[in-house]
């Protein structure tokens, strides 16, 4: 591998995600190969040329490409200087095997909002402690990708499914410091995770991960005012560490936990 090539790969604790890969390649060209999982490819710079099932394609910067499992494809830089890419490999709990044919015919999805959502998913995947947010964002993405690939898929319904939303909220409220995965909640309620996110967001005006973060911040405020040290608060309310608490606390309240206590005093 050339010294210009850089690769970072890891396996996050998110149901249905097999691997995440961030890479910069200048000279490397992938030979024809297959994956066991769906490949969600986001090209940030440069561009990628590839052949999928003997058909030639290009993945341009800012584009989202969906490569189906078990279908041969290769890959190489489209321009001098190489390319930067971010990839998530997901299994069929997020994208059905029935979509393989559609993905072979149309692997590139032209949707700016979908591309932005994919970038936000990667932000969550790179932040320890934000696994619930990553799962929530992936549920939204899987539904949008399905609608792109399968035009017969049922569009977003305007019907309120209040009872299901309340059941999901009850599960989230039971122990916000140790929230179960969306996949497990959805399975218990007999629905798909993307459907659970959709009805919850419609009912409460925010996705489940943001709701849980708000609950944790509320509890953190009370503990801080009771005199609990910041590091102890982070662990007690379910954040990964003190930095994780501080990042979300500042986003919600505009100040750090330490400043919040000082101002209160």
């Amino acid at each position: 591998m050339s010294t210009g090539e850089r690769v970072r790969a890891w396996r996050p604790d998110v149901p249905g995600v097999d691997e995440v890969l961030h890479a910069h390649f200048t000279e490397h060209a992938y030979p024809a190969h297959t994956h066991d999982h769906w490949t969600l490819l986001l090209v940030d710079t440069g561009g990628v040329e590839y052949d999928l099932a003997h058909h030639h394609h290009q993945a341009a910067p800012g584009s989202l490409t969906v490569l189906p499992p078990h279908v041969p494809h290769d890959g190489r830089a489209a321009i001098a200087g190489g390319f930067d890419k971010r990839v998530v490999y997901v299994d069929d709990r997020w994208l059905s095997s029935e979509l393989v044919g559609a993905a072979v015919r149309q692997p590139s999805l032209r949707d700016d909002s979908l591309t932005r959502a994919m970038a936000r998913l990667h932000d969550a995947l790179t932040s320890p402690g934000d696994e619930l947010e990553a799962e929530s964002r992936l549920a939204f993405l899987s539904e949008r990708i399905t609608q792109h690939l399968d035009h017969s898929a049922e569009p977003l319904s305007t019907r309120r499914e209040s009872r299901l939303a309340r059941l999901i909220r009850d599960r989230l409220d039971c122990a916000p410091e140790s929230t179960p995965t969306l996949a497990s909640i959805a399975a218990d309620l007999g629905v798909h995770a993307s459907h659970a996110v959709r009805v919850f967001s419609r009912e409460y005006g925010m996705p489940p991960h943001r709701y849980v973060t708000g609950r944790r911040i509320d509890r953190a405020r009370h503990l801080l005012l009771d005199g609990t040290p910041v590091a102890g608060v982070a662990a007690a309310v379910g954040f990964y560490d003190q930095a994780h608490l501080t990042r979300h606390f500042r986003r919600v309240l505009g100040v750090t936990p330490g400043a919040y206590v000082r101002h209160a005093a």
Side-chain angles (χ1 to χ4, degrees), residues 99-147:
L99 299 171
V100 168
V104 169
R105 292 189 296 273
Q106 184 189 352
S108 295
L109 305 183
R110 304 182 186 280
D111 183 332
D112 290 342
S113 65
L114 191 60
T115 302
R116 289 192 296 270
M118 193 69 194
R120 288 192 290 268
L121 169 63
H122 278 280
D123 290 343
L125 288 168
T126 55
S127 301
D130 284 348
E131 289 80 11
L132 182 64
E133 177 178 350
E135 192 181 9
S136 180
R137 293 194 182 282
L138 185 55
F140 168 79
L141 278 160
S142 71
E143 184 171 68
R144 290 293 298 274
I145 291 170
T146 298
Q147 290 168 358

Side-chain angles (χ1 to χ4, degrees), residues 7-232:
V7 173
R8 178 190 176 200
W10 70 98
R11 180 168 290 166
D13 189 19
V14 177
V17 176
D18 182 67
E19 183 184 339
V20 182
L21 172 70
H22 291 184
H24 170 79
F25 288 122
T26 54
E27 300 174 4
H28 177 68
Y30 287 100
H33 63 286
T34 65
H35 295 288
D36 292 335
H37 299 89
W38 288 88
T39 301
L40 307 183
L41 166 66
L42 183 63
V43 178
D44 293 311
T45 65
V48 177
E49 290 184 342
Y50 63 97
D51 293 311
L52 175 69
H54 308 296
H55 293 280
H56 186 70
H57 300 274
Q58 276 201 348
S63 67
L64 177 61
T65 299
V66 179
L67 302 176
H70 309 299
V71 179
H73 62 278
D74 57 14
R76 54 207 167 272
I79 62 173
F83 60 90
D84 290 274
K85 69 174 184 176
R86 289 178 284 176
V87 184
V88 181
Y89 299 94
V90 302
D91 65 23
D92 59 6
R93 78 188 72 184
W94 294 114
L95 292 172
S96 169
S97 59
E98 296 177 357
L99 299 171
V100 168
V104 169
R105 292 189 296 273
Q106 184 189 352
S108 295
L109 305 183
R110 304 182 186 280
D111 183 332
D112 290 342
S113 65
L114 191 60
T115 302
R116 289 192 296 270
M118 193 69 194
R120 288 192 290 268
L121 169 63
H122 278 280
D123 290 343
L125 288 168
T126 55
S127 301
D130 284 348
E131 289 80 11
L132 182 64
E133 177 178 350
E135 192 181 9
S136 180
R137 293 194 182 282
L138 185 55
F140 168 79
L141 278 160
S142 71
E143 184 171 68
R144 290 293 298 274
I145 291 170
T146 298
Q147 290 168 358
H148 273 281
L149 295 177
D150 182 3
H151 298 295
S152 68
E154 183 180 354
L156 290 176
S157 172
T158 57
R159 184 176 60 227
R160 295 170 66 88
E161 298 188 59
S162 298
R163 182 175 180 275
L164 176 59
R166 285 196 301 272
L167 290 172
I168 297 168
R169 188 189 65 185
D170 289 344
R171 302 294 179 94
L172 298 175
D173 283 345
C174 282
E177 72 281 359
S178 58
T179 307
T181 65
L182 290 173
S184 64
I185 293 174
D188 288 345
L189 297 176
V191 298
H192 193 277
S194 61
H195 183 66
V197 171
R198 185 204 321 162
V199 298
F200 186 93
S201 300
R202 183 180 299 124
E203 184 74 8
Y204 297 110
M206 66 182 71
H209 73 271
R210 193 169 298 166
Y211 175 82
V212 169
T213 297
R215 293 293 311 282
R216 290 175 175 173
I217 293 296
D218 276 347
R219 188 170 177 221
R221 290 164 55 199
H222 292 300
L223 291 176
L224 288 167
L225 295 178
D226 286 341
T228 306
V230 176

Side-chain angles (χ1 to χ4, degrees), residues 236-257:
V237 302
F239 286 106
Y240 181 76
D241 56 18
Q242 184 172 331
H244 190 213
L245 164 64
T246 298
R247 183 171 73 251
H248 286 288
F249 199 95
R250 182 188 288 118
R251 180 180 63 80
V252 173
L253 296 177
V255 296
T256 66

